[in-house]
Amino acid sequence: MSDQAIHLLKLLDLEPIEVNLFRGISPRSKWPRVFGGQVIGQAMVAACRTVDERLPHSLHAYFILPGDPTVPIIYEVGRLRDGRSFSTRRVTGIQHGQAIFSMIVSFAKPEKDSFSHQEVMPEVPPPEAFSPEKMAGHPLLKDAPKFVKRFYESDRPFRRRPVEMRPVEFERYLGQKAPGGRINFWIKTNVELPDDPAIHQCALAYASDMALLDSIAARHGEALFKDNIMAASLDHAMWFHRPFRADEWMLYSQDSPSANGGRGLARGMIFTRDGVHVATVAQEGLVRLRSPTATPPVA
């Protein structure tokens, strides 16, 4: 991440270049590949630009090749179906003449409830308990790994990131296993968003890829960003259940039901601050302990 602030609305404001074709750019970054959430969010915007009066209810995506942050991404939208109740779009992200990303997005018209139920939000302290000011003075910070200290000892990372994250189980960064294998983050965008519900969905889609694979490492007392861990997203699925605002605090509660063969499954539930279950996420990824001679995965 560079010192330059990333403005989420500018990142999601794609340039139309032809019918069903859009261009997205990446922020300047020290990372060698494009953040997966950026591709998901931008592809969602491209799909939404081709559908009227309906909002996404689900998406299913595959990361095919690592994105190159130095060149734009071209998003090609295929209009697969416009029915009476549902619309379906296929979005392909293209760089250097190759598909790097593929996603199906389904849109639905509003309907009245037949059944209604939801999961209960975990009981955790509020986001104010994990503010940059409070965490900078945390007594355990002096013993934390370097990557954690860099994150918490200054509020600069909080201000320049498009989405602010506040981990609840801070002690796990010191090697403690998360209780029951579940970890929680408070998240919200760092800019106020327009009232358009589609923008809030695209913003949450962007945020949904942040640290999701960390739930796999947490089952083993590890953290995703430690030097001995290599990780890469393979696919990503998301379901939107109820209205929300992505610029207000939401709890992202994550766990991992399975890991084997170098791949792990992570899943998350997203709740508004008052406990409304608004979205569910699932992702499979490569999560491995790095050997001294290992090379990073290509996915």
Side-chain angles (χ1 to χ4, degrees):
M1 184 79 66
S2 71
D3 287 337
Q4 182 180 7
I6 300 174
H7 196 293
L8 185 58
L9 284 176
K10 292 182 179 179
L11 192 67
L12 296 178
D13 187 17
L14 303 185
E15 175 190 1
I17 56 177
E18 185 48 272
V19 176
N20 299 329
L21 287 177
F22 304 86
R23 179 188 287 117
I25 60 172
S26 300
R28 286 190 298 173
S29 170
K30 297 178 182 178
W31 294 103
R33 60 190 180 192
V34 177
F35 167 53
Q38 173 193 319
V39 187
I40 296 170
Q42 289 181 337
M44 277 274 289
V45 171
C48 289
R49 295 268 183 92
T50 69
V51 178
D52 295 323
E53 299 180 356
R54 292 177 181 179
L55 291 172
H57 70 87
S58 70
L59 64 88
H60 297 262
Y62 282 90
F63 300 97
I64 301 171
L65 290 170
D68 180 352
T70 66
V71 299
I73 303 173
I74 303 301
Y75 294 95
E76 181 180 18
V77 181
R79 304 183 185 225
L80 301 185
R81 178 175 183 261
D82 285 301
R84 287 184 295 178
S85 298
F86 294 90
S87 295
T88 308
R89 297 292 185 264
R90 179 185 62 244
V91 186
T92 305
I94 302 168
Q95 281 186 323
H96 306 296
Q98 291 184 296
I100 66 166
F101 176 83
S102 180
M103 182 168 79
I104 298 289
V105 188
S106 182
F107 296 75
K109 72 174 185 180
E111 295 193 17
K112 295 181 180 180
D113 284 335
S114 295
F115 300 96
S116 182
H117 63 266
Q118 68 159 69
E119 289 286 349
V120 177
M121 185 175 77
E123 293 185 9
V124 300
E128 291 78 13
F130 309 98
S131 67
E133 296 77 15
K134 287 192 175 182
M135 294 307 296
H138 198 290
L140 295 179
L141 192 61
K142 62 182 178 63
D143 298 320
K146 288 183 179 179
F147 77 91
V148 178
K149 289 183 178 180
R150 288 197 301 267
F151 191 87
Y152 283 112
E153 286 180 339
S154 167
D155 67 348
R156 275 179 27 183
F158 293 93
R159 289 187 284 107
R160 70 173 186 253
R161 292 168 182 263
V163 175
E164 182 173 346
M165 298 186 68
R166 297 185 178 181
V168 173
E169 293 82 13
F170 173 79
E171 291 76 11
R172 71 185 186 85
Y173 293 120
L174 303 179
Q176 297 184 20
K177 292 185 179 181
R182 179 170 294 279
I183 58 176
N184 299 278
F185 299 86
W186 287 104
I187 61 172
K188 75 175 184 68
T189 64
N190 266 338
V191 294
E192 184 177 350
L193 301 178
D195 290 335
D196 181 1
I199 291 295
H200 290 264
Q201 289 186 317
C202 293
L204 188 60
Y206 173 99
S208 67
D209 189 41
M210 297 180 70
L212 180 56
L213 295 181
D214 203 14
S215 63
I216 300 169
R219 285 282 296 261
H220 304 271
E222 296 283 356
L224 189 65
F225 300 109
K226 292 174 68 174
D227 292 339
N228 66 326
I229 299 289
M230 63 166 60
S233 303
L234 295 175
D235 60 16
H236 192 94
M238 190 169 185
W239 298 265
F240 299 96
H241 309 310
R242 296 169 180 85
F244 60 88
R245 290 194 65 93
D247 53 7
E248 297 177 353
W249 285 114
M250 291 181 287
L251 185 71
Y252 197 177
S253 185
Q254 306 172 354
D255 71 347
S256 174
S258 178
N260 187 54
R263 300 186 311 276
L265 178 64
R267 60 188 178 186
M269 296 181 292
I270 303 175
F271 300 86
T272 63
R273 184 167 181 158
D274 56 355
V276 178
H277 185 192
V278 298
T280 300
V281 186
Q283 183 179 96
E284 186 179 49
L286 300 173
V287 179
R288 302 168 179 164
L289 289 172
R290 189 188 300 275
S291 66
T293 59
T295 56
V298 298

mmCIF file of all heavy atoms in Angstrom, residues 189-224:
data_model
loop_
_atom_site.group_PDB
_atom_site.id
_atom_site.type_symbol
_atom_site.label_atom_id
_atom_site.label_comp_id
_atom_site.label_asym_id
_atom_site.label_seq_id
_atom_site.Cartn_x
_atom_site.Cartn_y
_atom_site.Cartn_z
ATOM 1 N N THR A 189 -16.749 1.899 5.139
ATOM 2 C CA THR A 189 -15.972 2.686 4.193
ATOM 3 C C THR A 189 -15.482 3.958 4.874
ATOM 4 O O THR A 189 -16.107 4.469 5.808
ATOM 5 C CB THR A 189 -16.803 3.062 2.956
ATOM 6 O OG1 THR A 189 -17.883 3.916 3.342
ATOM 7 C CG2 THR A 189 -17.345 1.810 2.273
ATOM 8 N N ASN A 190 -14.377 4.480 4.377
ATOM 9 C CA ASN A 190 -13.813 5.696 4.945
ATOM 10 C C ASN A 190 -14.335 6.963 4.284
ATOM 11 O O ASN A 190 -13.856 8.059 4.576
ATOM 12 C CB ASN A 190 -12.278 5.658 4.850
ATOM 13 C CG ASN A 190 -11.650 5.117 6.119
ATOM 14 O OD1 ASN A 190 -12.264 5.151 7.185
ATOM 15 N ND2 ASN A 190 -10.441 4.607 6.015
ATOM 16 N N VAL A 191 -15.283 6.810 3.371
ATOM 17 C CA VAL A 191 -15.948 7.965 2.757
ATOM 18 C C VAL A 191 -17.451 7.755 2.849
ATOM 19 O O VAL A 191 -17.944 6.623 2.870
ATOM 20 C CB VAL A 191 -15.537 8.143 1.276
ATOM 21 C CG1 VAL A 191 -14.068 8.508 1.156
ATOM 22 C CG2 VAL A 191 -15.850 6.898 0.456
ATOM 23 N N GLU A 192 -18.185 8.854 2.913
ATOM 24 C CA GLU A 192 -19.642 8.776 2.880
ATOM 25 C C GLU A 192 -20.079 8.456 1.466
ATOM 26 O O GLU A 192 -19.575 9.029 0.491
ATOM 27 C CB GLU A 192 -20.254 10.093 3.340
ATOM 28 C CG GLU A 192 -21.769 10.057 3.436
ATOM 29 C CD GLU A 192 -22.355 11.355 3.970
ATOM 30 O OE1 GLU A 192 -21.564 12.199 4.442
ATOM 31 O OE2 GLU A 192 -23.588 11.515 3.906
ATOM 32 N N LEU A 193 -20.996 7.513 1.331
ATOM 33 C CA LEU A 193 -21.435 7.062 0.012
ATOM 34 C C LEU A 193 -22.783 7.678 -0.352
ATOM 35 O O LEU A 193 -23.570 8.045 0.533
ATOM 36 C CB LEU A 193 -21.562 5.532 -0.007
ATOM 37 C CG LEU A 193 -20.285 4.744 0.315
ATOM 38 C CD1 LEU A 193 -20.587 3.242 0.312
ATOM 39 C CD2 LEU A 193 -19.181 5.057 -0.673
ATOM 40 N N PRO A 194 -23.070 7.792 -1.650
ATOM 41 C CA PRO A 194 -24.402 8.266 -2.069
ATOM 42 C C PRO A 194 -25.494 7.317 -1.594
ATOM 43 O O PRO A 194 -25.216 6.205 -1.139
ATOM 44 C CB PRO A 194 -24.294 8.287 -3.600
ATOM 45 C CG PRO A 194 -22.836 8.255 -3.906
ATOM 46 C CD PRO A 194 -22.176 7.518 -2.778
ATOM 47 N N ASP A 195 -26.737 7.747 -1.743
ATOM 48 C CA ASP A 195 -27.857 6.932 -1.265
ATOM 49 C C ASP A 195 -28.200 5.764 -2.181
ATOM 50 O O ASP A 195 -29.049 4.946 -1.834
ATOM 51 C CB ASP A 195 -29.096 7.812 -1.077
ATOM 52 C CG ASP A 195 -28.947 8.779 0.097
ATOM 53 O OD1 ASP A 195 -28.153 8.472 1.008
ATOM 54 O OD2 ASP A 195 -29.610 9.832 0.085
ATOM 55 N N ASP A 196 -27.573 5.667 -3.337
ATOM 56 C CA ASP A 196 -27.839 4.582 -4.281
ATOM 57 C C ASP A 196 -27.486 3.235 -3.641
ATOM 58 O O ASP A 196 -26.321 2.977 -3.322
ATOM 59 C CB ASP A 196 -27.000 4.800 -5.534
ATOM 60 C CG ASP A 196 -27.226 3.722 -6.595
ATOM 61 O OD1 ASP A 196 -28.048 2.811 -6.359
ATOM 62 O OD2 ASP A 196 -26.584 3.792 -7.653
ATOM 63 N N PRO A 197 -28.469 2.332 -3.434
ATOM 64 C CA PRO A 197 -28.171 1.039 -2.787
ATOM 65 C C PRO A 197 -27.138 0.211 -3.544
ATOM 66 O O PRO A 197 -26.382 -0.553 -2.934
ATOM 67 C CB PRO A 197 -29.534 0.334 -2.761
ATOM 68 C CG PRO A 197 -30.549 1.416 -2.898
ATOM 69 C CD PRO A 197 -29.904 2.463 -3.743
ATOM 70 N N ALA A 198 -27.087 0.331 -4.875
ATOM 71 C CA ALA A 198 -26.133 -0.461 -5.656
ATOM 72 C C ALA A 198 -24.694 -0.088 -5.309
ATOM 73 O O ALA A 198 -23.815 -0.961 -5.266
ATOM 74 C CB ALA A 198 -26.390 -0.266 -7.154
ATOM 75 N N ILE A 199 -24.436 1.192 -5.055
ATOM 76 C CA ILE A 199 -23.084 1.620 -4.682
ATOM 77 C C ILE A 199 -22.674 0.984 -3.357
ATOM 78 O O ILE A 199 -21.528 0.548 -3.177
ATOM 79 C CB ILE A 199 -23.012 3.153 -4.588
ATOM 80 C CG1 ILE A 199 -23.137 3.766 -5.986
ATOM 81 C CG2 ILE A 199 -21.702 3.597 -3.936
ATOM 82 C CD1 ILE A 199 -21.996 3.421 -6.917
ATOM 83 N N HIS A 200 -23.598 0.882 -2.421
ATOM 84 C CA HIS A 200 -23.299 0.268 -1.126
ATOM 85 C C HIS A 200 -23.019 -1.226 -1.294
ATOM 86 O O HIS A 200 -22.152 -1.781 -0.616
ATOM 87 C CB HIS A 200 -24.451 0.515 -0.158
ATOM 88 C CG HIS A 200 -24.563 1.951 0.263
ATOM 89 N ND1 HIS A 200 -24.009 2.433 1.430
ATOM 90 C CD2 HIS A 200 -25.142 3.013 -0.340
ATOM 91 C CE1 HIS A 200 -24.245 3.718 1.532
ATOM 92 N NE2 HIS A 200 -24.944 4.106 0.472
ATOM 93 N N GLN A 201 -23.732 -1.876 -2.196
ATOM 94 C CA GLN A 201 -23.466 -3.291 -2.455
ATOM 95 C C GLN A 201 -22.089 -3.479 -3.093
ATOM 96 O O GLN A 201 -21.349 -4.397 -2.729
ATOM 97 C CB GLN A 201 -24.559 -3.880 -3.344
ATOM 98 C CG GLN A 201 -25.896 -4.047 -2.648
ATOM 99 C CD GLN A 201 -26.900 -4.770 -3.524
ATOM 100 O OE1 GLN A 201 -27.016 -4.496 -4.713
ATOM 101 N NE2 GLN A 201 -27.640 -5.702 -2.930
ATOM 102 N N CYS A 202 -21.744 -2.618 -4.045
ATOM 103 C CA CYS A 202 -20.434 -2.722 -4.694
ATOM 104 C C CYS A 202 -19.312 -2.448 -3.693
ATOM 105 O O CYS A 202 -18.260 -3.102 -3.721
ATOM 106 C CB CYS A 202 -20.347 -1.754 -5.867
ATOM 107 S SG CYS A 202 -21.459 -2.148 -7.244
ATOM 108 N N ALA A 203 -19.532 -1.482 -2.797
ATOM 109 C CA ALA A 203 -18.527 -1.172 -1.783
ATOM 110 C C ALA A 203 -18.352 -2.337 -0.819
ATOM 111 O O ALA A 203 -17.225 -2.679 -0.432
ATOM 112 C CB ALA A 203 -18.919 0.096 -1.027
ATOM 113 N N LEU A 204 -19.461 -2.966 -0.420
ATOM 114 C CA LEU A 204 -19.355 -4.105 0.488
ATOM 115 C C LEU A 204 -18.723 -5.306 -0.221
ATOM 116 O O LEU A 204 -17.973 -6.072 0.394
ATOM 117 C CB LEU A 204 -20.728 -4.484 1.044
ATOM 118 C CG LEU A 204 -20.713 -5.536 2.165
ATOM 119 C CD1 LEU A 204 -19.897 -5.046 3.356
ATOM 120 C CD2 LEU A 204 -22.131 -5.885 2.609
ATOM 121 N N ALA A 205 -18.999 -5.471 -1.509
ATOM 122 C CA ALA A 205 -18.347 -6.530 -2.273
ATOM 123 C C ALA A 205 -16.838 -6.319 -2.269
ATOM 124 O O ALA A 205 -16.061 -7.270 -2.137
ATOM 125 C CB ALA A 205 -18.887 -6.563 -3.700
ATOM 126 N N TYR A 206 -16.400 -5.066 -2.423
ATOM 127 C CA TYR A 206 -14.973 -4.745 -2.338
ATOM 128 C C TYR A 206 -14.425 -5.175 -0.974
ATOM 129 O O TYR A 206 -13.404 -5.854 -0.875
ATOM 130 C CB TYR A 206 -14.788 -3.237 -2.534
ATOM 131 C CG TYR A 206 -13.375 -2.738 -2.314
ATOM 132 C CD1 TYR A 206 -12.531 -2.505 -3.393
ATOM 133 C CD2 TYR A 206 -12.892 -2.480 -1.039
ATOM 134 C CE1 TYR A 206 -11.234 -2.047 -3.194
ATOM 135 C CE2 TYR A 206 -11.602 -2.027 -0.827
ATOM 136 C CZ TYR A 206 -10.778 -1.808 -1.916
ATOM 137 O OH TYR A 206 -9.499 -1.369 -1.712
ATOM 138 N N ALA A 207 -15.118 -4.785 0.088
ATOM 139 C CA ALA A 207 -14.631 -5.052 1.449
ATOM 140 C C ALA A 207 -14.694 -6.527 1.806
ATOM 141 O O ALA A 207 -13.943 -6.989 2.676
ATOM 142 C CB ALA A 207 -15.434 -4.241 2.455
ATOM 143 N N SER A 208 -15.567 -7.292 1.158
ATOM 144 C CA SER A 208 -15.795 -8.681 1.564
ATOM 145 C C SER A 208 -14.575 -9.566 1.370
ATOM 146 O O SER A 208 -14.471 -10.625 1.985
ATOM 147 C CB SER A 208 -16.985 -9.262 0.790
ATOM 148 O OG SER A 208 -16.678 -9.388 -0.595
ATOM 149 N N ASP A 209 -13.626 -9.139 0.523
ATOM 150 C CA ASP A 209 -12.430 -9.941 0.280
ATOM 151 C C ASP A 209 -11.307 -9.614 1.262
ATOM 152 O O ASP A 209 -10.271 -10.269 1.252
ATOM 153 C CB ASP A 209 -11.941 -9.721 -1.156
ATOM 154 C CG ASP A 209 -10.833 -10.685 -1.564
ATOM 155 O OD1 ASP A 209 -10.926 -11.876 -1.219
ATOM 156 O OD2 ASP A 209 -9.876 -10.252 -2.227
ATOM 157 N N MET A 210 -11.516 -8.619 2.103
ATOM 158 C CA MET A 210 -10.451 -8.178 3.002
ATOM 159 C C MET A 210 -10.284 -9.152 4.161
ATOM 160 O O MET A 210 -11.187 -9.325 4.980
ATOM 161 C CB MET A 210 -10.746 -6.767 3.529
ATOM 162 C CG MET A 210 -10.775 -5.708 2.432
ATOM 163 S SD MET A 210 -11.127 -4.048 3.042
ATOM 164 C CE MET A 210 -9.608 -3.696 3.916
ATOM 165 N N ALA A 211 -9.127 -9.827 4.201
ATOM 166 C CA ALA A 211 -8.736 -10.699 5.314
ATOM 167 C C ALA A 211 -9.662 -11.892 5.504
ATOM 168 O O ALA A 211 -9.612 -12.531 6.552
ATOM 169 C CB ALA A 211 -8.640 -9.904 6.614
ATOM 170 N N LEU A 212 -10.479 -12.245 4.518
ATOM 171 C CA LEU A 212 -11.402 -13.364 4.707
ATOM 172 C C LEU A 212 -10.656 -14.680 4.897
ATOM 173 O O LEU A 212 -11.035 -15.502 5.737
ATOM 174 C CB LEU A 212 -12.370 -13.458 3.525
ATOM 175 C CG LEU A 212 -13.407 -14.585 3.590
ATOM 176 C CD1 LEU A 212 -14.230 -14.503 4.861
ATOM 177 C CD2 LEU A 212 -14.325 -14.528 2.368
ATOM 178 N N LEU A 213 -9.574 -14.888 4.148
ATOM 179 C CA LEU A 213 -8.812 -16.124 4.297
ATOM 180 C C LEU A 213 -8.104 -16.201 5.642
ATOM 181 O O LEU A 213 -7.604 -17.263 6.027
ATOM 182 C CB LEU A 213 -7.789 -16.256 3.163
ATOM 183 C CG LEU A 213 -8.361 -16.412 1.745
ATOM 184 C CD1 LEU A 213 -7.226 -16.554 0.738
ATOM 185 C CD2 LEU A 213 -9.307 -17.602 1.658
ATOM 186 N N ASP A 214 -8.054 -15.094 6.364
ATOM 187 C CA ASP A 214 -7.416 -15.092 7.683
ATOM 188 C C ASP A 214 -8.117 -16.039 8.648
ATOM 189 O O ASP A 214 -7.515 -16.541 9.599
ATOM 190 C CB ASP A 214 -7.418 -13.669 8.253
ATOM 191 C CG ASP A 214 -6.326 -13.459 9.290
ATOM 192 O OD1 ASP A 214 -5.411 -14.295 9.379
ATOM 193 O OD2 ASP A 214 -6.391 -12.457 10.011
ATOM 194 N N SER A 215 -9.402 -16.300 8.404
ATOM 195 C CA SER A 215 -10.127 -17.211 9.293
ATOM 196 C C SER A 215 -9.567 -18.631 9.212
ATOM 197 O O SER A 215 -9.689 -19.411 10.164
ATOM 198 C CB SER A 215 -11.619 -17.208 8.958
ATOM 199 O OG SER A 215 -11.845 -17.683 7.639
ATOM 200 N N ILE A 216 -8.957 -18.987 8.086
ATOM 201 C CA ILE A 216 -8.354 -20.319 7.949
ATOM 202 C C ILE A 216 -7.126 -20.421 8.843
ATOM 203 O O ILE A 216 -6.951 -21.378 9.602
ATOM 204 C CB ILE A 216 -7.987 -20.579 6.480
ATOM 205 C CG1 ILE A 216 -9.240 -20.519 5.605
ATOM 206 C CG2 ILE A 216 -7.286 -21.930 6.333
ATOM 207 C CD1 ILE A 216 -8.946 -20.513 4.114
ATOM 208 N N ALA A 217 -6.247 -19.407 8.763
ATOM 209 C CA ALA A 217 -5.043 -19.403 9.589
ATOM 210 C C ALA A 217 -5.379 -19.305 11.069
ATOM 211 O O ALA A 217 -4.687 -19.877 11.917
ATOM 212 C CB ALA A 217 -4.131 -18.250 9.170
ATOM 213 N N ALA A 218 -6.461 -18.585 11.405
ATOM 214 C CA ALA A 218 -6.819 -18.379 12.807
ATOM 215 C C ALA A 218 -7.160 -19.679 13.516
ATOM 216 O O ALA A 218 -6.965 -19.797 14.733
ATOM 217 C CB ALA A 218 -7.993 -17.403 12.907
ATOM 218 N N ARG A 219 -7.653 -20.669 12.784
ATOM 219 C CA ARG A 219 -7.964 -21.966 13.397
ATOM 220 C C ARG A 219 -6.709 -22.633 13.958
ATOM 221 O O ARG A 219 -6.792 -23.520 14.806
ATOM 222 C CB ARG A 219 -8.604 -22.893 12.352
ATOM 223 C CG ARG A 219 -10.040 -22.578 11.994
ATOM 224 C CD ARG A 219 -11.018 -23.069 13.066
ATOM 225 N NE ARG A 219 -11.033 -24.508 13.206
ATOM 226 C CZ ARG A 219 -11.941 -25.317 12.665
ATOM 227 N NH1 ARG A 219 -12.918 -24.804 11.920
ATOM 228 N NH2 ARG A 219 -11.897 -26.618 12.858
ATOM 229 N N HIS A 220 -5.530 -22.193 13.477
ATOM 230 C CA HIS A 220 -4.266 -22.814 13.859
ATOM 231 C C HIS A 220 -3.346 -21.863 14.609
ATOM 232 O O HIS A 220 -2.139 -22.103 14.699
ATOM 233 C CB HIS A 220 -3.563 -23.355 12.611
ATOM 234 C CG HIS A 220 -4.408 -24.313 11.828
ATOM 235 N ND1 HIS A 220 -4.415 -25.671 12.074
ATOM 236 C CD2 HIS A 220 -5.323 -24.101 10.834
ATOM 237 C CE1 HIS A 220 -5.273 -26.257 11.248
ATOM 238 N NE2 HIS A 220 -5.833 -25.331 10.493
ATOM 239 N N GLY A 221 -3.917 -20.777 15.130
ATOM 240 C CA GLY A 221 -3.119 -19.825 15.886
ATOM 241 C C GLY A 221 -2.158 -19.027 15.022
ATOM 242 O O GLY A 221 -1.153 -18.503 15.507
ATOM 243 N N GLU A 222 -2.456 -18.925 13.729
ATOM 244 C CA GLU A 222 -1.627 -18.160 12.804
ATOM 245 C C GLU A 222 -2.402 -16.936 12.319
ATOM 246 O O GLU A 222 -3.601 -16.809 12.533
ATOM 247 C CB GLU A 222 -1.211 -19.031 11.613
ATOM 248 C CG GLU A 222 -0.337 -20.214 11.964
ATOM 249 C CD GLU A 222 1.100 -19.819 12.237
ATOM 250 O OE1 GLU A 222 1.440 -18.630 12.072
ATOM 251 O OE2 GLU A 222 1.897 -20.709 12.612
ATOM 252 N N ALA A 223 -1.700 -16.029 11.631
ATOM 253 C CA ALA A 223 -2.321 -14.852 11.047
ATOM 254 C C ALA A 223 -1.916 -14.749 9.590
ATOM 255 O O ALA A 223 -0.775 -15.059 9.219
ATOM 256 C CB ALA A 223 -1.911 -13.593 11.804
ATOM 257 N N LEU A 224 -2.826 -14.320 8.759
ATOM 258 C CA LEU A 224 -2.645 -14.356 7.319
ATOM 259 C C LEU A 224 -1.426 -13.565 6.850
ATOM 260 O O LEU A 224 -0.748 -13.956 5.908
ATOM 261 C CB LEU A 224 -3.898 -13.809 6.632
ATOM 262 C CG LEU A 224 -3.989 -13.967 5.126
ATOM 263 C CD1 LEU A 224 -4.060 -15.426 4.735
ATOM 264 C CD2 LEU A 224 -5.201 -13.224 4.581
#
